Amino acid sequence: MPIQTVDVVYTAVATAENGRDGRVASDDGKLDVVVNPPKEQGGSGAGTNPEQLFAAGYSACFQGALSVVARRENADVSGSRVTAKVGIGKTPDGGFGLTVEIAVSIPQVDAATAQDLVEKAHQVCPYSHATRGNIEVKLTVA
């Protein structure tokens, strides 16, 4: 798969200190959070963690992609919700990997239309582009 070219219109900048057990902040000061490993990984769980931040970004981005697709299809996605679940675990080669499940609820449309909109949003979403072919991403429609 060739590398996608992008005409960049915005660049987010964030800096981490002390990795998974420290702090991460954006250059504009709008994001400044303590990060700690979750208890399931032997940490304190006192702060957020990279997987939660990724889930937050992916769900918001996917919701935006869903809105773009809905406008194109003249579909009503008002009241819709997108939940991203990001899992982390060991890979067979001894490294670590991620899994993602995107659960979408679109109460204003029938199940078939919702499924179609979700599949199309998955083709539009930049996070989906970035993860495609790299990690398992499961889509569900509630």
Side-chain angles (χ1 to χ4, degrees):
M1 175 182 237
I3 294 178
Q4 181 182 42
T5 60
V6 177
D7 181 17
V8 176
V9 296
Y10 170 75
T11 300
V13 179
T15 302
E17 297 173 1
N18 297 319
R20 290 181 152 279
D21 205 1
R23 175 179 162 262
V24 64
S26 60
D27 65 335
D28 62 5
K30 292 180 181 178
L31 177 72
D32 190 343
V33 293
V34 171
V35 289
N36 300 115
K39 290 181 180 182
E40 295 84 350
Q41 288 184 306
S44 70
T48 189
N49 59 67
E51 292 70 40
Q52 287 177 330
L53 295 169
F54 187 64
Y58 204 157
S59 63
C61 187
F62 200 95
Q63 181 81 51
L66 181 64
S67 294
V68 167
V69 169
R71 280 193 298 277
R72 290 179 186 166
E73 303 282 324
N74 290 322
D76 183 1
V77 295
S78 61
S80 63
R81 295 173 59 99
V82 176
T83 300
K85 296 179 182 179
V86 175
I88 184 170
K90 291 186 179 179
T91 59
D93 64 4
F96 291 91
L98 300 174
T99 62
V100 174
E101 180 180 345
I102 303 287
V104 184
S105 170
I106 311 173
Q108 303 300 332
V109 300
D110 62 76
T113 301
Q115 185 67 43
D116 183 59
L117 292 170
V118 167
E119 293 292 338
K120 288 176 178 174
H122 190 47
Q123 297 306 309
V124 171
C125 177
Y127 276 62
S128 293
H129 282 287
T131 59
R132 188 168 289 113
N134 297 307
I135 65 173
E136 178 186 352
V137 176
K138 179 181 176 187
L139 303 174
T140 60
V141 178

